[in-house]
């Protein structure tokens, strides 16, 4: 990796990436936690409450400073695959307050 980085022309790589995006060839890859929350349409605060974690934790997952584990990891996978289920659970929880 160090050898690759030493020989890398970062400016050329960025310029190439911009060319690809302009040509419609590039694609954006979102962190899994961010993608899961976006698919549900929930705010960070709503998503945090639903998962039983803090907004800071959601932000850390979305910026990939931390990785979810255990049940949270499973719930994020469910949210990515079937966001409607998460939306229904969130609505049900809100109606029981």
């Amino acid at each position: 990796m160090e050898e690759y980085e030493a020989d890398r022309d970062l400016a050329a790589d960025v310029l190439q990436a911009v060319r690809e995006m302009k040509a419609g060839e590039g694609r954006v890859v979102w962190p899994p936690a961010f993608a899961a929350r976006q698919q549900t349409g929930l705010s960070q605060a709503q998503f945090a409450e639903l998962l039983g974690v803090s907004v800071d934790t959601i932000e850390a997952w979305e910026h990939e400073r931390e990785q979810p584990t255990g049940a949270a990891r499973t719930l994020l996978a469910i949210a990515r695959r079937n966001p409607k289920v998460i939306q229904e659970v969130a609505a049900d929880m809100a109606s029981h307050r």
Side-chain angles (χ1 to χ4, degrees):
M1 185 65 147
E2 288 179 24
E3 188 177 312
Y4 168 77
E5 290 295 332
D7 294 335
R8 184 175 181 197
D9 182 349
L10 186 57
D13 288 351
V14 170
L15 186 57
Q16 180 62 31
V18 169
R19 285 185 187 123
E20 289 173 5
M21 287 188 315
K22 285 184 175 181
E25 298 170 1
R27 66 184 184 105
V28 176
V29 178
W30 300 106
F34 179 79
R37 183 178 63 79
Q38 289 293 90
Q39 287 177 297
T40 66
L42 298 174
S43 69
Q44 285 183 334
Q46 292 168 319
F47 205 56
E49 183 178 347
L50 180 69
L51 296 179
V53 299
S54 70
V55 172
D56 288 341
T57 297
I58 296 294
E59 288 177 0
W61 293 344
E62 290 186 358
H63 293 278
E64 296 188 307
R65 292 187 304 267
E66 296 177 18
Q67 294 299 314
T69 58
R73 187 173 169 174
T74 301
L75 288 170
L76 289 171
I78 292 168
R80 284 193 312 272
R81 288 182 181 90
N82 194 342
K84 187 170 178 78
V85 168
I86 300 299
Q87 293 164 343
E88 290 171 0
V89 170
D92 188 51
M93 287 177 66
S95 71
H96 286 99
R97 283 189 209 144

